[in-house]
Amino acid sequence: MGMSCNQCQESVHGTGCTVRGVCGKDEPTAQLQDVLVYAAEGLALAAEKLAGSVSVNVGQLISESLFVTVTNTNFDEDSIVAQIRKTLAVRDELNASLDHCSDHDAAHWNGSSKEDFLAKAATVSINSLSENEDLRSLKSLVLYGLKGLAAYTDHAAVLGYHDEDIYAFYVKALAALTKELPADELTGLVLETGGVAVKAMALLDKANTTTYGHPEITTVSTGVGKNPGILISGHDLRDLEELLRQTEGTGVDVYTHCEMLPAHYYPAFKKYSHFVGNYGGAWWSQDKEFDTFNGPILMTTNCIVPVREAYRNRMFTTGMAGYPGLKHIAARAEGKEKDFSLLVEMAKTCKPPKELENGKIVGGFAHNQVLALADKVVAAVKSGAIKRFVVMAGCDGRHASRQYYTDVAAALPEGTIILTAGCAKYRYNKLELGDIGGIPRVLDAGQCNDSYSLAVIALKLKEVFQLDDINDLPISFDIAWYEQKAVTVLLALLFLGVKGIRLGPTLPEFLTPNVAAVLVEKFGIKPVGTVTADIEAMMAGA
Ligand code: SF4
Ligand code: SF3
């Protein structure tokens, strides 16, 4: 039967991953993820037939199910099977309330065994979206955009924030993926996904900043203390909040890893003296760093890489994350916190982390903080001290070709400011790039989930400089992508009218030449080139 996955930047070029994912995802896991997407489509078709709004329960369930299939989030067959069953059960409830079956094929295959689901997988892979490769490419763009969106709305939902319009869009778009639609309708759906992405990022921004305050300029240590520690990775701030509360006064320190680094920027977490620093770099080097951390590690979301024996018994998952053989910390019971006592007790028996480095990272430049510096920034632009902003947000990844981003950051002229968000920053956030009149040359807005801040900052600059078009700003976009949240951010930028984005280290494999040509023609998207040529072009405004 084989697997067929091409959703991330590390997809095997030319064929997608067909035997085993570069990410480590094996064939049954990939197939069960396809079936889970298919079950979510069945749920959407049932919800589409109901008059009125899409319920929060259905919207949240779709968010969770799609999030499970985001690259490097969940490798655990049993938990994916459980999520398929949950999704089908709600689909069946909706169909029962309508008193008819969905015409989606899913209505006839809700067998309960994993084998049943695997047998179904052959007919529901990404290839089944359409026989026409261009239509399949457009549908893939929508589906991957939805997966990234799902991560945003799941994080917002965890904090109690929902938007029924976004949930209604899930239903509309997932249902559309099951239908034969012409290219122009699918192109419209791609752009609409970008518009909904802006809404979802704004919702998550509101959820995070209302709950934890607005990020502030913060210096984070990359060294280690003398106490044992727990390392928390992924993107879920509520998990961190509860872990910090449950470790307070226990003699166990808490460290962030990868995309949890920006948690240090939030006022709500600054009061914890045992929240000591950040350990290691971007997600892909975890198989070296987790060994030397010595204590328990909690993965709240992506990115998990194949787990090594050296730390397997110290690693835990929670939320939508999963990995076979790792202990999973259960969801919150109504009105209760998650129970992290297993990690706390284990940490007390562990050695302190081994020092990897002993420096600092400065961040916290989300929209509120940057707008507080607006006068200074505007004056620096007017005086010519700041010549250009370069947005280098997105994801990091394993490939050596991503050295491009380090080299661009190092070689950009001194009058440039790098605006970043996401784990792409690890390619240059430990370089000494200095400042411009006190404004650091790398302004880190936060996680990939905080890319919204970069759009707000750009729109504010447009307003301050009284420009009609965002593309008239002295700003260039040199974006790095890896997983599907970056696809969502890209669609959001296109929706906001940003033109001429450089995308790398390679263009998505799921774009056919015809679909890529449309993006080039309409939006001027281009692949990254050489460091020298790209810097020269960006400084010239291209
Ligand atoms: Fe391959 Fe990426 Fe899919 Fe993993 S997520 S199987 S690396 S395309
Ligand atoms: Fe990174 Fe996985 Fe995308 Fe959140 S942690 S940006 S890749």
Side-chain angles (χ1 to χ4, degrees), residues 81-365:
V81 166
Q83 192 68 25
I84 296 170
R85 290 195 184 121
K86 199 171 157 186
T87 309
L88 290 177
V90 176
R91 179 209 63 179
D92 289 345
E93 264 172 44
L94 292 189
N95 278 332
S97 74
L98 285 162
D99 200 25
H100 70 72
C101 278
S102 159
D103 49 8
H104 189 237
D105 183 33
H108 311 296
W109 59 279
N110 57 347
S112 57
S113 75
K114 187 199 291 186
E115 286 64 38
D116 288 335
F117 296 143
L118 285 170
K120 186 68 201 170
T123 58
V124 301
S125 77
I126 191 77
N127 298 324
S128 69
L129 287 177
S130 174
E131 282 176 9
N132 176 302
E133 63 167 15
D134 292 328
L135 299 181
R136 189 163 69 240
S137 175
L138 287 167
K139 283 187 171 181
S140 304
L141 197 46
V142 172
L143 175 59
Y144 301 153
L146 290 176
K147 289 187 180 198
L149 261 171
Y152 295 135
T153 52
D154 182 63
H155 284 297
V158 163
L159 296 175
Y161 287 74
H162 302 271
D163 182 327
E164 287 179 5
D165 290 346
I166 300 175
Y167 292 159
F169 180 71
Y170 283 154
V171 166
K172 173 182 159 177
L174 281 171
L177 294 182
T178 69
K179 298 170 186 164
E180 287 293 331
L181 295 174
D184 57 342
E185 266 188 58
L186 289 174
T187 306
L189 201 57
V190 168
L191 297 182
E192 202 179 341
T193 308
V196 177
V198 175
K199 272 184 129 177
M201 290 196 292
L203 178 74
L204 179 55
D205 183 77
K206 187 172 165 202
N208 285 340
T209 55
T210 308
T211 312
Y212 302 118
H214 282 280
E216 300 163 348
I217 303 175
T218 306
T219 301
V220 182
S221 161
T222 58
V224 296
K226 292 194 165 50
N227 295 331
I230 295 174
L231 188 60
I232 178 168
S233 191
H235 303 72
D236 195 302
L237 296 178
R238 188 161 173 198
D239 287 337
L240 171 70
E241 178 190 8
E242 294 176 359
L243 180 66
L244 284 171
R245 262 206 292 270
Q246 292 174 34
T247 41
E248 201 170 17
T250 62
V252 173
D253 288 339
V254 174
Y255 293 79
T256 53
H257 172 259
C258 191
E259 278 284 68
M260 201 56 86
L261 159 69
H264 290 278
Y265 312 156
Y266 286 92
F269 304 132
K270 288 180 189 287
K271 64 179 181 224
Y272 294 102
S273 59
H274 66 296
F275 188 33
V276 294
N278 189 69
Y279 193 82
W283 60 271
W284 54 273
S285 52
Q286 67 187 242
D287 55 346
K288 293 167 204 77
E289 297 159 355
F290 286 0
D291 189 4
T292 54
F293 183 74
N294 294 330
I297 301 138
L298 177 65
M299 298 301 303
T300 64
T301 68
N302 55 318
C303 275
I304 301 173
V305 310
V307 176
R308 283 181 43 217
E309 282 308 317
Y311 53 85
R312 177 183 291 273
N313 64 353
R314 292 189 272 119
M315 191 158 158
F316 299 78
T317 57
T318 193
M320 295 304 107
Y323 196 89
L326 300 193
K327 285 214 171 56
H328 187 81
I329 304 301
R332 301 171 180 87
E334 187 73 28
K336 297 249 171 65
E337 294 191 351
K338 285 185 183 175
D339 180 2
F340 294 118
S341 56
L342 213 54
L343 284 86
V344 181
E345 291 314 308
M346 179 185 278
K348 289 178 184 166
T349 68
C350 294
K351 288 189 292 186
K354 184 178 164 199
E355 185 174 283
L356 294 176
E357 53 194 318
N358 194 0
K360 59 182 171 48
I361 299 171
V362 179
F365 297 93

Side-chain angles (χ1 to χ4, degrees), residues 71-72 233-235 258-259 282-283 301-304 394-397 421-424 447-449 480-486:
T71 298
N72 290 343
S233 191
H235 303 72
C258 191
E259 278 284 68
W283 60 271
T301 68
N302 55 318
C303 275
I304 301 173
C395 308
D396 198 10
C423 63
Q447 300 178 338
C448 55
N449 295 4
W481 84 286
Y482 169 64
E483 37 77 21
Q484 298 76 55
K485 281 195 265 180

Side-chain angles (χ1 to χ4, degrees), residues 13 22-23 38 43 64 70 74 82-83 111 192 207 228 300 319 327 342 355 370 411 441 447 464 466 497 534:
H13 293 288
V22 175
C23 59
Y38 192 66
L43 173 58
E64 288 176 358
V70 166
N74 197 318
Q83 192 68 25
E192 202 179 341
T300 64
K327 285 214 171 56
L342 213 54
E355 185 174 283
V370 174
R441 287 196 52 230
Q447 300 178 338
V464 170
Q466 297 177 332
D534 283 0

Side-chain angles (χ1 to χ4, degrees), residues 354-480:
K354 184 178 164 199
E355 185 174 283
L356 294 176
E357 53 194 318
N358 194 0
K360 59 182 171 48
I361 299 171
V362 179
F365 297 93
H367 55 88
N368 223 47
Q369 179 66 82
V370 174
L371 297 188
L373 298 172
D375 289 349
K376 216 171 171 180
V377 173
V378 169
V381 174
K382 285 189 173 154
S383 73
I386 294 179
K387 294 189 172 46
R388 201 151 191 91
F389 298 92
V390 181
V391 176
M392 291 179 70
C395 308
D396 198 10
R398 300 177 181 84
H399 278 186
S401 57
R402 289 181 187 262
Q403 176 67 24
Y404 162 91
Y405 293 101
T406 310
D407 295 345
V408 167
L412 277 168
E414 281 181 5
T416 48
I417 295 272
I418 296 171
L419 300 175
T420 193
C423 63
K425 68 170 82 69
Y426 283 97
R427 286 283 163 179
Y428 43 80
N429 68 347
K430 295 171 187 172
L431 302 178
E432 293 289 341
L433 294 179
D435 62 89
I436 299 177
I439 304 165
R441 287 196 52 230
V442 178
L443 298 184
D444 176 21
Q447 300 178 338
C448 55
N449 295 4
D450 302 309
S451 301
Y452 175 71
S453 263
L454 305 180
V456 172
I457 292 165
L459 292 171
K460 186 69 191 174
L461 288 173
K462 179 183 139 202
E463 184 190 313
V464 170
F465 289 106
Q466 297 177 332
L467 299 169
D468 294 330
D469 188 338
I470 199 168
N471 298 294
D472 294 336
L473 282 169
I475 188 166
S476 300
F477 289 78
D478 197 1
I479 305 286

